[in-house]
Amino acid sequence: MGDRLNKDYGYLSRLFSESEDTTIEKFIIQQKIEKVKELIQYGELNLNEIAWQMGYSSSAHLSNQFKSVTGITPSEFKSLGTKDRKPLDKI
């Protein structure tokens, strides 16, 4: 990312963190988890397919990260049937 902007990654990371009050990595993970929630709610893909589509090494890795961010597993989220998602532009 820094190469394309002709800026050092460390500089960009600090600037982002100061501006958004989170790290770039956490922001990206949050975006991915919100997209995973959307895909779960659509109900068209199983967790393995969602993990593959979202670039996770396995559904276990996705599940662990999902639980770390949301406090519940993807299956628990699905069973809630909730529409509790944040629009990606509101994160």
Side-chain angles (χ1 to χ4, degrees):
M1 176 168 69
D3 293 342
R4 287 188 267 163
L5 298 173
N6 262 348
K7 298 289 182 188
D8 174 63
Y9 177 80
Y11 167 77
L12 292 174
S13 179
R14 282 188 303 280
L15 190 63
F16 185 90
S17 294
E18 289 169 7
S19 171
E20 299 300 319
D21 202 29
T22 189
T23 66
I24 291 172
E25 291 81 7
K26 286 181 181 178
F27 177 80
I28 291 169
I29 289 169
Q30 184 66 45
Q31 293 281 315
K32 286 177 78 171
I33 294 302
E34 290 303 319
K35 181 64 177 178
V36 168
K37 287 179 180 180
E38 180 180 287
L39 293 171
I40 289 170
Q41 288 176 337
Y42 288 158
E44 296 173 1
L45 303 172
N46 66 40
L47 197 58
N48 287 326
E49 293 167 326
I50 292 171
W52 181 83
Q53 182 172 328
M54 295 301 298
Y56 286 92
S57 58
S58 66
S59 59
H61 180 217
L62 166 57
S63 293
N64 287 336
Q65 193 166 76
F66 190 97
K67 185 165 185 172
S68 170
V69 170
T70 66
I72 60 174
T73 66
S75 330
E76 290 169 329
F77 177 79
K78 185 175 184 175
S79 70
L80 290 174
T82 181
K83 300 295 182 198
D84 184 28
R85 282 190 50 251
K86 296 178 188 170
L88 294 179
D89 63 340
K90 300 295 182 198
I91 295 177

